[in-house]
Amino acid sequence: MTVDVEKKIVVEIVYNGVTKSLHAEPEEQVAALLQKAIAIFGITQNPHLLSLFKQDGTVVPEHESIERAGIKPGEILLLRPNAVKGGGERLRVEKDIVPTTFRALQECGRGECECAVYWTGPAEGDLVNSFEHPLHKRSPYGYEVDDSWLTEFWKRLAASRRSIKVQVHTHPGEAFHSETDNEWPIVSQVGFVSIVIPDFASGEPSLDSAWVGCLQADGKWRRLASATEALIPA
Amino acid sequence: MTALEELNRTILLCRDFVVDDLCDEEICRRFQSVKVLCVSDRHNLSSHSGQTALITLVSLLGRMGIPVWVRIPEVAMLLPQPPLSGSCVRAALIASSETLVAGATVCGDSNLNPDLTFVLGDTMVDSGHPSWRLSGSDWYGALTMEKSAALQAWTTEWPIGSMVSAALAANEAFKFVMRQLPLRSPADQIFFEPSRFCDWNFDSVPVPEEGVHFGEVDIISAGAICQAALYALLRLPKVQMWGRIFDDDLTGASNLNRNMLTLVTDIDSKKVLVVAQRCGTNLRLEAVSNRFAGKASEGGKLAPRVVVGVDDIPSRWEAQRCAPGWLAVSGTSHFSISSSAHSLGEPCSGCLHPVDDPAAANPIPTVSFVSFWAGLAMTVRLLREALGSPYSSDRQHLWLTPLRMDQPHAAMWLPVASRRDCPVDCLASQRLYLRTRGAERRA
């Protein structure tokens, strides 16, 4: 017989001086807690600028699990804008990441469907040393990541103290950031990098013709002149 | 100039919550159509604290475009109350009509049927309307919806508590207007519910009878927050200070909603000149009509004490780099304020504000009482520093959202954590870097 142990904790979120309680699981990512906090206050104005702060003045790292971030039951967390999210450091990408990414996109998309992968690395730091190919529905016009897979993925990231550094997906023809891409990045953090590869990634494994963009503090995406603005070889 | 231009930033702040299809003119009109009555008897108005409470409240309301009626006796002005002028309180207030923001009239009471009534201290009122009472002491201010036996008259000279109570009251008037406006989300109504009782205590410290001598203080910015700080400093009895004030900006119509030392007639004047003139002789400020440019500039060597009210984050870093001693920074973010002080060796303003915020270059949504809180908190830090009683390190940072000061976490005192990547590369960040690098090597 197995016994389910209730592990949920309650934390207090303060926003605009008002406090609301949130239930969370210790292994849940702080990023997920942050999204819940933004949702319970119904914040629609620049939510990507907000972070959670502890009472010791430190920002709660979003790519940690709640447990690893040291959040205790009953803890009071301040939800407020965080200019720290400016980012700016270039990511160091291990050399096999781009070719293996192309291989995965080509094999899955078969030159006729969009596909996506997520580049990951240690939560603390700027290294990209692996990628995840999500379970997703595909079509020539888009892809939709499976919710259950995504939940499981967040848990795995938390357990392994890793985070998503870059999202990469393909387009049938031209590489650009669509309205959907703008609105629904997997990580809504300023400085987050998104790459769109044209022609279902059927070309050479290179980011030269890719659209590479970075999420700005005003919630808009800024196209970078080249991938080297955001990425350097590890 | 029109009230619409002058209240532009207040309207922008309302738009955080108001439905998108409500036009600016309608939001402006709602502020201008509220009728506020301020009441005091002679006893409560015969102290500097009582006079400061009333004048500050009327100013904060006026800068929201709200017309005010005063039911008060005429009393002699005990200490100067710039930018108001005159030797009598009632006459000075009525003379200030429409000098802060177009349409923000101040009138004597003539059987007004008010929407909101604010009453000073233990003044007796026979109105059937619910009223708010401003009460407090030297460093403590409160606002109560109904009269309680415990309320005291304003009798003290020290005015920090009275300015707190005025800021609390102005907030209730703002929320009253917001409750009349259609909000995007019904859930947001919680931020604008009236507070039946709210208070704030900056915690008292002894002030010598001979007053406070701040010595040399440099002020970076002549904008809203530094003007609020100086407005508060100018009301402290027996204080002396000298220094410089840096700013290259001209007064614009959209500054009137929050620049506490500025009048309608100051539009197009250099902000530093306006402020230096209003500060008079006890606070002697040399107006420097340039943006503070750091070490490379002529004014690169700063005074032992520096107060910073600029929104531009790199300018805060530069001031911190050039500050030889103590530095305070205050800023606002929508309805919240951030106020901090940094002595040598403590985590600096770069640790607290480590990355530039490009959004700060856009028109910033603001309202009078929020900017005022930011300035008042900075003045209190300067005072405590000069008196040798700075706040402890666990109160190095104050994050305060004045909307619901009846809530337990409306204001949070916080320490400032040093950062390895501090853009100022302060001593605290260097110490942290060495400590953590040592730990990494051992690991």
Side-chain angles (χ1 to χ4, degrees):
Chain A
M1 186 179 82
T2 59
V3 178
D4 285 334
V5 180
E6 180 61 71
K7 291 200 297 180
K8 280 199 170 178
I9 64 167
V10 177
V11 291
E12 306 293 329
I13 310 291
V14 180
Y15 176 69
N16 267 349
V18 173
T19 310
K20 292 187 180 182
S21 299
L22 262 185
H23 292 266
E25 291 179 21
E27 67 270 20
E28 197 174 331
Q29 282 256 311
V30 172
L33 179 69
L34 174 61
Q35 292 309 316
K36 280 203 263 184
I38 288 167
I40 54 161
F41 282 103
I43 303 166
T44 54
Q45 302 269 316
N46 294 325
H48 59 283
L49 291 181
L50 299 170
S51 286
L52 293 167
F53 287 79
K54 291 187 182 183
Q55 285 185 289
D56 65 3
T58 58
V59 63
V60 186
E62 287 173 32
H63 298 301
E64 294 281 13
S65 69
I66 287 171
E67 190 170 33
R68 284 187 192 278
I71 297 173
K72 305 281 188 299
E75 185 149 358
I76 296 162
L77 300 172
L78 178 60
L79 179 62
R80 70 169 176 87
N82 176 16
V84 174
K85 288 185 167 186
E89 290 298 311
R90 287 193 290 181
L91 295 167
R92 295 179 299 117
V93 183
E94 287 197 345
K95 66 177 182 185
D96 62 333
I97 294 294
V98 172
T100 50
T101 293
F102 268 75
R103 202 153 47 240
L105 296 171
Q106 288 164 357
E107 286 172 4
C108 175
R110 293 174 298 185
E112 57 190 26
C113 288
E114 289 195 12
C115 180
V117 301
Y118 302 126
W119 290 1
T120 66
E124 287 184 17
D126 53 9
L127 181 66
V128 175
N129 60 1
S130 185
F131 74 87
E132 286 282 338
H133 181 204
L135 182 62
H136 62 95
K137 288 181 189 163
R138 61 189 177 184
S139 82
Y141 311 108
Y143 67 94
E144 189 182 328
V145 177
D146 182 85
D147 278 347
S148 306
W149 179 90
L150 200 54
T151 304
E152 204 52 43
F153 180 43
W154 285 123
K155 287 182 181 175
R156 270 194 292 127
L157 286 170
S160 57
R161 305 193 71 171
R162 293 176 65 81
S163 65
I164 301 174
K165 306 293 188 186
V166 179
Q167 66 175 25
V168 184
H169 76 280
T170 57
H171 273 188
E174 187 189 351
F176 64 96
H177 227 224
S178 67
E179 280 299 307
T180 308
D181 301 333
N182 288 341
E183 292 294 320
W184 302 105
I186 188 151
V187 174
S188 297
Q189 185 173 339
V190 174
F192 184 67
V193 175
S194 175
I195 297 174
V196 185
I197 300 175
D199 304 323
F200 297 125
S202 57
E204 289 298 308
S206 156
L207 300 179
D208 288 349
S209 56
W211 184 99
V212 183
C214 175
L215 187 57
Q216 303 297 292
D218 61 4
K220 294 177 179 155
W221 289 85
R222 180 170 69 90
R223 183 174 187 177
L224 306 179
S226 74
T228 55
E229 270 194 49
L231 314 170
I232 51 173
Chain B
M1 292 298 163
T2 65
L4 196 61
E5 291 172 85
E6 294 163 1
L7 296 178
N8 173 282
R9 303 303 181 85
T10 301
I11 292 167
L12 197 57
L13 186 62
C14 296
R15 293 210 169 280
D16 278 6
F17 294 100
V18 169
V19 293
D20 294 334
D21 56 359
L22 193 69
C23 65
D24 286 357
E25 288 81 359
E26 181 58 20
I27 297 174
C28 183
R29 197 187 64 74
R30 297 291 180 101
F31 279 98
Q32 292 179 312
S33 61
V34 181
K35 293 193 287 285
V36 173
L37 175 66
C38 295
V39 185
S40 178
D41 61 11
R42 185 173 300 279
H43 182 49
N44 280 276
L45 217 47
S46 297
S47 63
H48 177 56
S49 60
Q51 293 184 2
T52 301
L54 179 66
I55 290 169
T56 304
L57 173 58
V58 174
S59 300
L60 292 170
L61 294 170
R63 290 188 190 281
M64 289 189 271
I66 295 175
V68 179
W69 282 259
V70 289
R71 186 184 294 166
I72 58 172
E74 187 59 286
V75 293
M77 193 95 84
L78 296 171
L79 287 170
Q81 297 274 357
L84 271 60
S85 54
S87 56
C88 296
V89 171
R90 190 173 188 277
L93 281 170
I94 290 172
S96 76
S97 184
E98 298 212 65
T99 62
L100 308 181
V101 163
T105 53
V106 183
C107 304
D109 171 32
S110 56
N111 297 321
L112 177 78
N113 186 22
D115 296 307
L116 291 167
T117 304
F118 294 105
V119 182
L120 234 56
D122 64 351
T123 299
M124 296 288 288
V125 284
D126 52 7
S127 146
H129 300 285
S131 55
W132 302 91
R133 289 192 174 263
L134 290 78
S135 64
S137 54
D138 287 356
W139 298 81
Y140 167 81
L143 190 72
T144 317
M145 200 180 250
E146 282 151 9
K147 187 168 190 266
S148 97
L151 286 182
Q152 303 284 315
W154 288 104
T155 56
T156 61
E157 187 176 41
W158 195 251
I160 296 292
S162 66
M163 287 187 275
V164 168
S165 69
L168 294 170
N171 167 49
E172 290 304 325
F174 176 82
K175 290 193 295 184
F176 177 85
V177 176
M178 287 299 284
R179 289 196 295 273
Q180 319 301 313
L181 297 171
L183 305 183
R184 266 195 304 273
S185 166
D188 292 336
Q189 286 168 2
I190 192 169
F191 301 122
F192 306 109
E193 286 173 9
S195 309
R196 298 195 70 80
F197 172 80
C198 56
D199 62 350
W200 177 252
N201 197 346
F202 276 112
D203 292 341
S204 64
V205 287
V207 179
E209 279 200 11
E210 64 271 23
V212 187
H213 293 249
F214 293 100
E216 187 180 3
V217 179
D218 278 339
I219 297 168
I220 314 288
S221 165
I225 291 163
C226 288
Q227 286 201 26
L230 288 164
Y231 176 100
L233 274 172
L234 281 164
R235 279 149 179 80
L236 304 180
K238 293 184 263 182
V239 297
Q240 287 189 11
M241 186 182 97
W242 76 92
R244 296 169 299 176
I245 182 161
F246 295 82
D247 204 313
D248 65 346
D249 205 7
L250 298 178
T251 300
S254 66
N255 299 137
L256 291 170
N257 78 325
R258 61 198 187 281
N259 282 17
M260 289 293 281
L261 295 176
T262 302
L263 300 173
V264 168
T265 49
D266 295 320
I267 288 177
D268 294 333
S269 302
K270 288 182 174 175
K271 287 180 182 173
V272 283
L273 295 178
V274 170
V275 172
Q277 185 211 335
R278 300 271 143 73
C279 282
T281 51
N282 286 346
L283 307 184
R284 279 185 293 118
L285 289 178
E286 178 194 342
V288 181
S289 306
N290 295 317
R291 182 182 282 244
F292 176 71
K295 282 179 180 160
S297 68
E298 200 177 313
K301 191 171 186 303
L302 288 173
R305 292 180 180 131
V306 181
V307 297
V308 181
V310 288
D311 298 317
D312 182 53
I313 290 176
S315 297
R316 294 180 188 172
W317 301 339
E318 200 51 39
Q320 181 76 71
R321 289 185 191 109
C322 296
W326 180 90
L327 175 139
V329 182
S330 273
T332 65
S333 175
H334 297 252
F335 288 99
S336 298
I337 71 138
S338 165
S339 175
S340 59
H342 311 271
S343 295
L344 281 182
E346 285 186 318
C348 77
S349 67
C351 293
L352 184 59
H353 308 285
V355 169
D356 189 13
D357 178 7
N362 300 325
I364 293 169
T366 54
V367 65
S368 61
F369 64 93
V370 173
S371 296
F372 185 71
W373 271 106
L376 181 59
M378 191 152 70
T379 287
V380 170
R381 289 189 181 278
L382 177 62
L383 254 173
R384 296 184 64 116
E385 157 68 14
L387 292 169
S389 300
Y391 286 120
S392 55
S393 59
D394 61 346
R395 291 183 163 203
Q396 203 187 342
H397 181 212
L398 173 65
W399 182 266
L400 182 148
T401 309
L403 286 174
R404 292 294 306 271
M405 290 295 282
D406 56 331
Q407 295 290 302
H409 303 300
M412 294 176 77
W413 292 105
L414 304 159
V416 177
S418 53
R419 297 179 63 94
R420 277 178 63 154
D421 58 352
C422 168
V424 176
D425 195 24
C426 67
L427 284 172
S429 68
Q430 289 173 20
R431 274 203 304 269
L432 177 67
Y433 176 75
L434 292 172
R435 209 165 51 235
T436 50
R437 198 176 63 164
E440 282 168 4
R441 281 185 174 163
R442 282 193 296 279

